[in-house]
C-alpha cells in the first residue's frame, strides 16, 4: 500500500490522479478528509482510500501508516516542517514502511542562502540516517506558483517580484507527480536523488509578454527592491514574515545563481516536460480582467505603489 501525505497539495493531488489513471491503489491523507473525498470524486473512490491524519498528531500517523510499504511525503512549508517531517520519517520506519519519496528543493550554493532549502537538507539527512530506501525529488519553481499573480493581474494588469530579468526554471507540478508515480511503481527509478526542471528558463518580463499575447492586453512585470517586495508581501499580501522572506530569498537567489534545465524528466518519463506556454494557455481564464474591488486593501496598496 502507498500512503500519500500532502494529497490535497499541488503535487499530491496530481499524484492521486496519476495513480487512479494507472489503477494503483493508495491511501491518501488529509486534515480535511471531506475536502479530499470531493477532490478525488467518483472516479477514484474505488482505488483511493481516504484517511484523516495530522503531522502534529503521531497517533494519527501510526494509524495511517498501518499496513503500508511506501510513503509519498510533500508537506507545505511551515516553521515546523523539520520537526514534522523528521517525526514522520521515524514513525514510518517504526510502522514498517520501506520506501519514502520525499519532495525536497534544489540544494543551493552557500553564497545564496535559502532558509527553506536548508530545512529540506536537514530532512534529507534524517532520511539518509533512517536507513529506509528513499527517493528525493528536488524540483525547481512550480509553474503553478504563477497563479499567485492572478489577483493583481486580473485587477491591475501587473505582477510584482524582485528577480529583474533573471531567467528561472519552471516545472509543471504534474511532471513532478508523474516522476513520483514512477518512483513508487518502478524499482529502477526509486532510491535516487533527482533534480527536476522544465525544459526552458523564462524570466518574469518574458512571462508578462506571453500573458499579454494570450490575454490580448498589456501585462507588466514590476521589479521591486527585495526589501520593498518583502514589505509588500507582509503588509499587503498578508504573508507570515518567514514565508515572505522565503519568496524574497528564492528570487534573490535566482539573480545570482544561473538556473539551467536538465533532461531528468525526459530521461525518467520518456517524454518532454510540459511547456510553460501550454500551462499559461490552460490557465488563461484565471488571468482575465475583472473590475477592481475597491474594498480590497491589497489591490489598493499595490496600485498606489504602481502609481507612485
Ligand atoms: N512551490 C515551489 O515552487 C516549490 C519548489 C520546490 C520545492 N517545493 C516544496 O514542495 C513542498 C510542497 O509545497 P507546496 O507549497 O506545493 O505545498 P501545498 O501544495 O501547499 O501542499 C501542502 C500539503 O501539505 C499538507 N499538510 C500541511 N500541513 C500538514 C499537517 N500538519 N499534517 C498533514 N498534512 C499537512 C496539506 O494537507 P491538508 O491541508 O489536506 O491536511 C497539503 O496537502 C514544500 O515542502 C516545498 O518546499 C516547492
Amino acid at each position: 500500500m502507498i500512503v500519500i501525505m500532502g494529497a490535497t497539495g499541488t503535487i499530491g493531488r496530481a499524484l492521486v490522479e496519476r495513480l487512479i489513471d494507472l489503477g494503483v491503489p493508495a491511501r491518501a491523507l488529509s486534515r480535511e478528509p471531506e475536502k479530499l473525498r470531493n477532490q478525488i470524486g467518483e472516479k477514484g473512490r474505488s482505488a483511493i482510500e481516504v484517511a484523516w491524519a495530522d503531522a502534529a498528531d503521531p497517533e494519527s500517523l501510526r494509524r495511517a501508516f498501518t499496513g503500508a510499504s511506501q510513503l509519498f511525503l510533500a508537506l507545505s512549508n511551515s516553521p515546523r516542517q523539520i520537526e514534522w517531517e523528521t517525526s514522520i520519517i521515524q514513525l514510518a520506519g517504526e510502522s514498517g514502511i520501506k520506501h519514502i519519496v520525499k519532495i525536497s528543493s534544489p540544494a543551493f550554493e552557500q553564497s545564496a542562502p535559502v532558509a527553506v532549502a536548508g530545512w529540506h537538507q536537514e530532512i534529507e539527512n534524517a532520511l539518509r540516517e533512517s536507513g529506509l530506501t528513499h527517493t528525493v525529488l528536488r524540483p525547481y519553481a512550480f509553474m503553478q506558483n504563477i497563479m499567485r499573480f492572478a489577483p493583481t493581474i486580473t485587477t491591475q494588469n501587473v505582477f510584482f517580484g524582485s528577480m529583474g530579468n533573471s531567467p528561472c526554471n519552471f516545472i509543471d507540478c504534474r511532471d513532478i507527480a508523474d516522476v513520483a508515480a514512477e518512483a513508487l511503481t518502478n524499482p529502477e527509478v526509486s532510491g535516487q536523488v533527482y533534480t527536476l526542471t522544465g525544459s526552458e528558463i523564462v524570466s518574469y518580463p518574458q512571462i508578462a509578454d506571453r500573458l499579454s499575447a494570450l490575454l490580448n492586453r498589456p501585462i507588466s512585470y514590476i521589479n521591486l527592491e527585495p526589501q520593498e517586495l518583502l514589505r509588500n508581501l507582509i503588509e499587503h499580501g498578508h504573508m507570515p514574515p518567514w514565508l515572505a522572506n522565503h519568496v524574497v530569498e528564492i528570487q534573490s537567489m535566482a539573480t545570482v545563481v544561473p538556473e539551467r534545465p536538465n533532461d531528468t524528466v525526459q530521461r525518467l518519463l520518456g517524454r518532454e516536460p510540459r511547456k510553460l506556454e501550454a500551462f499559461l494557455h490552460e490557465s488563461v481564464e484565471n488571468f482575465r480582467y475583472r473590475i477592481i474591488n475597491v474594498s480590497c486593501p491589497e489591490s489598493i496598496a499595490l496600485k498606489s505603489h504602481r502609481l507612485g
Side-chain angles (χ1 to χ4, degrees):
M1 172 64 83
I2 297 169
V3 171
I4 303 173
M5 274 208 88
T8 59
T10 8
I11 305 171
R13 66 168 52 221
L15 175 63
V16 169
E17 292 263 318
R18 178 75 181 141
L19 294 179
I20 292 170
D21 288 345
L22 292 172
V24 175
R27 184 180 299 148
L29 311 185
S30 173
R31 292 164 299 173
E32 294 181 80
E34 217 29 61
K35 187 171 109 185
L36 178 54
R37 275 190 200 95
N38 290 337
Q39 172 195 313
I40 290 169
E42 281 302 321
K43 183 182 154 200
R45 294 248 160 96
S46 55
I48 308 293
E49 185 188 320
V50 171
W52 179 85
D54 185 335
D57 178 345
E59 265 320 302
S60 72
L61 297 174
R62 279 195 192 94
R63 273 196 305 276
F65 294 164
T66 303
S69 56
Q70 301 196 79
L71 170 68
F72 170 80
L73 179 57
L75 283 200
S76 49
N77 295 133
S78 96
R80 297 186 68 185
Q81 190 162 359
I82 297 177
E83 173 200 337
W84 282 345
E85 292 202 24
T86 51
S87 131
I88 288 166
I89 291 164
Q90 190 189 333
L91 289 165
E94 289 168 11
S95 306
I97 285 175
K98 304 283 181 238
H99 175 214
I100 297 182
V101 177
K102 170 175 161 54
I103 299 299
S104 183
S105 75
F108 298 120
E109 303 286 330
Q110 285 302 314
S111 59
V114 175
V116 169
W119 300 353
H120 280 302
Q121 296 313 307
E122 207 166 309
I123 299 161
E124 285 189 25
N125 288 342
L127 256 183
R128 272 190 293 278
E129 284 162 16
S130 73
L132 299 172
T133 304
H134 52 279
T135 307
V136 175
L137 306 183
R138 296 175 175 169
Y140 271 85
F142 303 169
M143 289 181 192
Q144 282 74 4
N145 295 352
I146 296 168
M147 300 308 296
R148 296 178 193 158
F149 300 142
T152 54
I153 290 177
T154 52
T155 54
Q156 300 161 55
N157 298 324
V158 296
F159 63 97
F160 299 83
S162 59
M163 263 188 2
N165 291 319
S166 305
C168 179
N169 248 318
F170 287 96
I171 179 163
D172 191 313
C173 280
R174 292 169 293 185
D175 285 338
I176 306 169
D178 288 351
V179 171
E182 201 60 27
L184 290 163
T185 55
N186 180 353
E188 284 178 20
V189 168
S190 62
Q192 306 287 322
V193 176
Y194 299 108
T195 298
L196 303 177
T197 76
S199 55
E200 57 181 342
I201 48 173
V202 186
S203 67
Y204 278 178
Q206 287 170 325
I207 290 176
D209 289 346
R210 290 184 187 192
L211 282 172
S212 303
L214 275 172
L215 292 162
N216 202 22
R217 68 177 208 268
I219 305 297
S220 306
Y221 166 60
I222 296 182
N223 198 58
L224 305 178
E225 288 301 316
Q227 282 310 311
E228 200 181 357
L229 178 64
L230 184 70
R231 205 171 41 249
N232 240 305
L233 293 172
I234 295 171
E235 288 175 12
H236 308 304
H238 309 294
M239 269 190 192
W242 66 266
L243 183 56
N245 198 47
H246 175 54
V247 172
V248 172
E249 280 181 346
I250 285 278
Q251 298 203 14
S252 301
M253 192 266 322
T255 65
V256 290
V257 179
E259 297 186 2
R260 291 187 189 83
N262 66 27
D263 66 353
T264 311
V265 169
Q266 163 86 53
R267 201 160 38 81
L268 296 177
L269 301 179
R271 61 159 177 82
E272 281 272 294
R274 289 170 172 88
K275 300 273 189 211
L276 182 64
E277 193 67 35
F279 174 78
L280 293 178
H281 197 270
E282 237 178 87
S283 321
V284 71
E285 288 310 317
N286 297 287
F287 298 107
R288 293 270 178 229
Y289 191 68
R290 66 180 163 78
I291 303 295
I292 189 166
N293 174 2
V294 288
S295 67
C296 170
E298 182 183 347
S299 306
I300 294 169
L302 294 174
K303 188 174 187 192
S304 60
H305 168 89
R306 178 165 65 106
L307 297 177

